[in-house]
Amino acid sequence: MTTTLICDCNQTMPLEPKTLGTALTESLPLHSTLCRREAPAFQRAIQSGDDVVVACTQEKRLFGELAQQTPGASSPIRFVNIRETGGWSRDAKSAMPKIAALLAAAGLPEPDPVSTVSYASQGRLLIVGPLDAAEQAAALLADALEVTIFSRGPGVAGGAQERRWPVIAGRIDALAGWLGAFKLQWTQDNPIDLDLCTRCNACLSACPEQAIGLDYQIDTVKCTSHRDCERACAVAGAIRFDRAREPQDGAFDLVLDLGTAPLIDWHAPPQGYFHLAGGMSHPKAAQTLMRLRELVGEFEKPKFFDYKQKLCAHSRNEVVGCNACIEVCSAHAVSSDKERQRIVVNPNLCVGCGACTTVCPTGALAYTYPRTPDQGLKLRTLLATYAAAGGRDATLLLHSEEGGRALVEQLGRAAQLRKAHGVPANVIPVALFHAASTGIDLWLSAVAFGASQVCVLLTGEEAPQYVAAMKKQAEIAQALLHGLGYTGTHFRLIEAATPAALDTALAGLRETRQIVPSRAARFAVGAEKRSTLELALDHLMDESPALKAAADAPLAVPLPAGAPFGAIAVDKDKCTLCLACVSACPAAALQDNRDSPQLRFIEKNCVQCGLCETTCPEDAIELVPRLLASPARRQPAVLNEARPWACIRCGKPFGTQKAIEAMLVKLAGHAMFQGEALERLKMCSDCRVIDLYSAQDEIKITRIPPQ
């Protein structure tokens, strides 16, 4: 049982408690100062042991403190924002169905916990950059972290006279790793050894070209190697022009990069790596230094994905098919292991965007934060409650937990101040850990559940490849619906970085009218992506205007290249029925026939990975992205068949006439296949062995004399 508490401070929202209570089948008294004067009502609710939903995020911290001070408080508490998401908009009076939906979704059980990824940091910090800026940063961090500086020039002022931290220099060859496990590889290629240098400045005074700076390294472009500096440093012995270039490596837990160009130039760099272009003058310098000071100890984050190799269409027999997850990952967390017919995801590098799971055609990669069934239950609850409360034309606005949520809340505040329209009454915001973590399985399910539109809010924090991938997903999903006769624009990407831009985009959603299924689906979203897609497609095809108009005629909906549905076209003149494509197919879409030389195809299983096309030695296969809206897509269809070749010795059929004849033509001129050897190619494997051992003119290994 769930107890819902709603509060309207200073009556800024036109709430209708009776309407909301009817939709949620519970009594909903309206509070005005629940966090203060009416706090006893909150305390009584959390002492009941029932789940408690508080419709206020503004005072979440205060409610948490109050719960800690309440004797016997045992209720799980969840918070939901109904103010900026709907109560503060120009059409807030019409937003009761949406608010009821948000309250109902907040009352759902918490998703099951996911496994975690651990990090351990001892505070070994590498600062890379100009020596003056690096020493400035080190002075602010050395009391909490163990600092090592990699000098990349003197900067403006050069290094301080007192050497307070270890300093290394040279040519950086590689930097890789993550929080607690960075490895730096560099080559010490300068005549001055900074470990031996005492910063006595004798070399600077001796150098006539002024080739030595206050980073105590020799500029080899200016230096003419007259060795005055080497003689001046005879006592310390820090300068040697004949020193061999030595490769070095070091392990660090954290990296602060003060260089203009980042050493790790990724959209989503590893955790523990921070880049401040321009050094300590960067606007986020203070925030970054504070963050670094906190990164000592053991840390955990969710493991955002599950991987099932048996479903993966990446590779077969060291031939690469689907590469979508590797291409889309901005964190460089996904790599190919084609020898083992799989991809490898590094959980330490994964940042939880979920884009790899979104583009995966088979569901081999599944998102876990939350899992797809939990996300599907949330969408179904939102849409079902919205419709039951009298809402129409529901639009889901999927947005990220950070940038997207902040933008929605800024728009709500602007609407309350009469500076914007606000979130429309039919637009239901749905927070995701990352905007790229959902794809066509959930989008199409949402339409089947009753959504008129599914919009994804992009705030500019997303990697370019994520945006491209989601546009492709929207294009595929829209082509599916249009082909089934559902007119309108059901899927949109809203790119907005300001509240005003978001306000304009949301207002523009009313410009088109969408045709959707007349009956909402009630299926449960499953853990398997293809199963969920099939459930959604079945419902959409059952309600399809195009199929109803075409009666019993099969409908083939053309789809964009890269769609996870389709057929294959086989050139029968080229195909020899070698069946290499069957062994390569990871989805059991291509099959043979034990009783006859046949190539069969089940279209429902095909994920368009391209492994069959790449594997085919005759180049006889071409992908055909489409959706066959017919029961025939579930039945095996014969793509090619041939007469079997009969063994010339025993008559047993093996292979096909076309394949054997092609082999005979290709090998006829080979020295190893002349005379009886060529005839043996026309025999089955058993007869070939018998004939070989019974032939009198063949040299057998048992007759070869020892050497």
Side-chain angles (χ1 to χ4, degrees):
M1 182 175 177
T2 301
T3 300
T4 305
L5 301 174
I6 57 176
C7 182
D8 183 12
C9 299
N10 295 321
Q11 298 182 345
T12 57
M13 296 182 287
L15 296 177
E16 299 175 7
K18 290 185 178 180
T19 303
L20 295 174
T22 300
L24 299 174
T25 64
E26 64 175 302
S27 176
L28 289 181
L30 179 61
H31 301 277
S32 58
T33 54
L34 186 63
C35 59
R36 290 173 173 79
R37 180 168 53 83
E38 296 176 304
F42 168 72
Q43 292 178 299
R44 287 192 297 272
I46 62 176
Q47 290 172 327
S48 67
D50 297 333
D51 290 0
V52 173
V53 173
V54 179
C56 175
T57 54
Q58 169 68 30
E59 300 294 344
K60 182 178 179 179
R61 182 187 62 82
L62 183 57
F63 281 116
E65 293 176 354
L66 186 58
Q68 291 179 351
Q69 300 169 9
T70 302
S74 58
S75 295
I77 308 171
R78 289 187 286 276
F79 298 88
V80 58
N81 184 349
I82 64 171
R83 191 172 67 179
E84 286 87 349
T85 55
W88 280 359
S89 70
R90 298 282 179 87
D91 55 359
K93 291 183 178 180
S94 305
M96 293 310 108
K98 172 171 66 174
I99 292 175
L102 292 172
L103 292 171
L108 291 172
E110 288 289 337
D112 292 335
V114 301
S115 57
T116 58
V117 179
S118 299
Y119 298 89
S121 168
Q122 302 174 38
R124 299 170 300 172
L125 171 64
L126 174 69
I127 303 178
V128 182
L131 188 54
D132 57 350
E135 290 187 343
Q136 182 185 0
L140 298 171
L141 295 169
D143 63 316
L145 303 171
E146 179 186 330
V147 175
T148 300
I149 294 174
F150 194 102
S151 172
R152 308 201 81 179
V156 176
Q161 190 61 53
E162 178 187 1
R163 184 173 64 174
R164 300 171 58 188
W165 305 280
V167 180
I168 55 179
R171 183 188 71 242
I172 293 179
D173 299 319
L175 173 65
W178 50 84
L179 175 63
F182 284 102
K183 185 174 182 180
L184 175 71
Q185 295 177 311
W186 79 96
T187 300
Q188 187 175 331
D189 60 354
N190 200 274
I192 298 182
D193 186 336
L194 291 178
D195 281 339
L196 300 176
C197 176
T198 62
R199 299 192 182 183
C200 68
N201 300 318
C203 58
L204 278 76
S205 301
C207 181
E209 293 97 354
Q210 297 182 336
I212 304 176
L214 287 176
D215 61 341
Y216 302 99
Q217 293 285 275
I218 296 174
D219 185 339
T220 55
V221 175
K222 294 181 180 180
C223 178
T224 58
S225 300
H226 52 70
R227 312 295 176 89
D228 284 1
C229 59
E230 187 172 358
R231 288 187 288 272
C233 192
V235 175
I239 304 178
R240 283 180 50 195
F241 281 83
D242 61 349
R243 179 180 289 110
R245 297 188 176 188
E246 299 178 2
Q248 308 280 343
D249 61 70
F252 302 93
D253 300 308
L254 302 160
V255 178
L256 174 60
D257 184 357
L258 303 178
T260 303
L263 291 171
I264 301 180
D265 188 17
W266 303 348
H267 184 274
Q271 296 196 50
Y273 172 86
F274 300 87
H275 178 232
L276 294 175
M280 299 304 293
S281 62
H282 193 282
K284 294 185 177 180
Q287 177 184 345
T288 300
L289 295 187
M290 292 179 65
R291 178 69 179 131
L292 280 165
R293 296 175 67 89
E294 298 171 351
L295 292 176
V296 180
E298 295 184 0
F299 307 90
E300 287 185 344
K301 71 173 183 182
K303 183 173 177 285
F304 294 101
F305 65 91
D306 279 334
Y307 176 60
K308 296 181 180 178
Q309 183 181 351
K310 67 178 182 179
L311 299 178
C312 186
H314 171 61
S315 173
R316 286 293 185 277
N317 303 321
E318 298 190 25
V319 175
V320 173
C322 175
N323 224 23
C325 57
I326 297 173
E327 294 170 354
V328 81
C329 181
S330 72
H332 294 242
V334 189
S335 58
S336 172
D337 184 3
K338 63 182 182 181
E339 291 183 0
R340 298 186 181 182
Q341 302 182 167
R342 65 179 185 177
I343 54 98
V344 177
V345 185
N346 187 327
N348 295 98
L349 291 177
C350 175
V351 295
C353 65
C356 58
T357 67
T358 294
V359 300
C360 179
T362 65
L365 277 170
Y367 197 63
T368 63
Y369 197 69
R371 293 180 174 84
T372 308
D374 296 313
Q375 200 70 272
L377 175 61
K378 182 177 182 179
L379 298 184
R380 192 179 67 183
T381 300
L382 284 167
L383 294 166
T385 306
Y386 178 84
R392 298 181 60 188
D393 301 324
T395 294
L396 297 179
L397 179 63
L398 309 180
H399 62 80
S400 66
E401 285 276 11
E402 295 183 2
R405 184 191 294 275
L407 196 60
V408 169
E409 292 179 352
Q410 290 168 17
L411 176 58
R413 178 183 293 182
Q416 200 268 343
L417 297 175
R418 314 303 292 176
K419 295 180 180 179
H421 183 281
V423 183
N426 69 317
V427 175
I428 307 173
V430 181
L432 308 171
F433 184 79
H434 195 286
S437 63
T438 62
I440 62 173
D441 53 335
L442 283 173
W443 296 355
L444 290 172
S445 295
V447 173
F449 293 150
S452 175
Q453 289 181 299
V454 177
C455 302
V456 181
L457 173 58
L458 307 177
T459 61
E461 59 189 335
E462 302 82 12
Q465 59 264 46
Y466 296 172
V467 178
M470 286 188 285
K471 286 181 177 178
K472 189 69 175 179
Q473 292 277 303
E475 180 187 4
I476 294 168
Q478 193 62 75
L480 274 167
L481 291 188
H482 282 171
L484 294 174
Y486 298 103
T487 57
T489 304
H490 302 80
F491 307 101
R492 294 175 184 259
L493 301 185
I494 296 177
E495 300 184 56
T498 65
L502 177 58
D503 199 39
T504 301
L506 293 179
L509 296 178
R510 300 187 180 94
E511 295 176 0
T512 62
R513 175 156 181 83
Q514 284 65 240
I515 300 298
V516 296
S518 58
R519 175 178 56 88
R522 297 298 300 166
F523 64 82
V525 170
E528 298 287 345
K529 183 174 187 175
R530 297 296 293 193
S531 299
T532 297
L533 280 169
E534 286 301 314
L535 290 170
L537 288 173
D538 284 347
H539 183 80
L540 293 170
M541 287 190 285
D542 287 343
E543 300 289 318
S544 166
L547 289 176
K548 290 178 180 178
D552 296 329
L555 177 65
V557 179
L559 297 176
F565 308 102
I568 63 170
V570 175
D571 187 332
K572 295 182 179 181
D573 293 331
K574 293 181 178 179
C575 176
T576 61
L577 281 177
C578 68
L579 302 180
C581 55
V582 173
S583 63
C585 181
L590 285 165
Q591 301 177 354
D592 61 359
N593 188 335
R594 294 181 180 179
D595 301 323
S596 176
Q598 284 185 342
L599 175 62
R600 301 191 297 176
F601 179 68
I602 301 177
E603 186 160 336
K604 179 183 78 70
N605 294 348
C606 182
V607 298
Q608 296 282 287
C609 64
L611 274 168
C612 58
E613 184 180 42
T614 307
T615 300
C616 179
E618 313 296 344
D619 293 326
I621 295 178
E622 182 180 357
L623 300 180
V624 183
R626 71 175 191 180
L627 174 69
L628 182 61
S630 164
R633 66 191 296 268
R634 292 183 169 84
Q635 304 301 319
V638 177
L639 299 182
N640 195 15
E641 57 184 337
R643 293 175 59 189
W645 176 277
C647 173
I648 61 173
R649 181 179 178 128
C650 69
K652 182 174 71 177
F654 76 99
T656 67
Q657 286 193 358
K658 193 171 185 179
I660 300 300
E661 289 171 356
M663 180 174 62
L664 292 173
V665 170
K666 290 181 179 180
L667 297 179
H670 197 286
M672 292 290 295
F673 296 97
Q674 300 299 316
E676 292 186 7
L678 187 65
E679 289 298 303
R680 291 192 190 103
L681 295 178
K682 304 176 184 179
M683 302 178 188
C684 67
S685 57
D686 293 337
C687 292
R688 199 176 304 141
V689 173
I690 294 172
D691 186 73
L692 181 65
Y693 273 87
S694 60
Q696 299 300 317
D697 58 346
E698 293 287 343
I699 297 178
K700 297 178 174 56
I701 191 169
T702 54
R703 299 178 185 174
I704 299 176
Q707 298 295 325

